[in-house]
Amino acid sequence: MGLLTFVINLTLDGCVDHQEGIADDETHTFFTRLMDESGAMLWGRVTYEMMERSWPAIARGDAEALPALREWAVKLEAKPKYVVSSTRNDFPWTNSHHIAGDLRTGVQALKDATPEGVLVGSGKLANELDRLDLVDEYKLLVHPRIAGHGPTLYEGGLPSTRRLELVSANLLRSGAVALHYRRAP
């Protein structure tokens, strides 16, 4: 069984708005490496649609992009992408699959079938998966910014506090810190 890892950019005040992070080559290299090490991506519908609007065109070369962005896009194009949605069931982007029905059952089956692990990159979905005790690890890229607005991490709260163990902390040139935590036993 693979691990389910919550991966996200956030600011010091917990904002997870994708426009608030530092989008440099080092950040994209960091996320490309995480994707390379995993077996699949897992998103909610809103995140999927945001990603679907940009990355396929960059992967095809139909849109200008820096080399690190193009590398990310090409690898993302090939990576299996799973989407949780109760309002949409057609996901035409290459290697996209729908998880329908019971969330716990569908995501547990995905974890069981993906020994390399699954990255979940949607804040609201990760919150729901954490409520179901399905998140095993957290890889947070904390940017040296205070956004002063939301959405914020775990905005909906959790039923109980999660104890975590620090696995690693790495400082990027931009001042962002890559934190890797595992759920404590």
Side-chain angles (χ1 to χ4, degrees), residues 104-126:
R104 179 188 304 275
T105 302
V107 172
Q108 187 61 57
L110 176 59
K111 286 174 66 172
D112 292 344
T114 314
E116 304 88 2
V118 178
L119 298 180
V120 59
S122 299
K124 288 181 183 177
L125 177 59

Side-chain angles (χ1 to χ4, degrees), residues 167-183:
V167 175
S168 65
N170 296 300
L171 179 64
L172 279 62
R173 288 186 307 271
S174 66
V177 180
L179 300 170
H180 177 188
Y181 289 96
R182 186 171 293 131
R183 287 192 59 172

Side-chain angles (χ1 to χ4, degrees), residues 82-130:
Y82 292 85
V83 187
V84 173
S85 177
S86 61
T87 60
R88 179 176 169 184
N89 56 23
D90 179 40
F91 300 94
W93 184 9
T94 305
N95 293 320
S96 294
H97 312 277
H98 185 210
I99 294 181
D102 180 68
L103 182 60
R104 179 188 304 275
T105 302
V107 172
Q108 187 61 57
L110 176 59
K111 286 174 66 172
D112 292 344
T114 314
E116 304 88 2
V118 178
L119 298 180
V120 59
S122 299
K124 288 181 183 177
L125 177 59
N127 192 331
E128 281 305 308
L129 297 173
D130 223 339

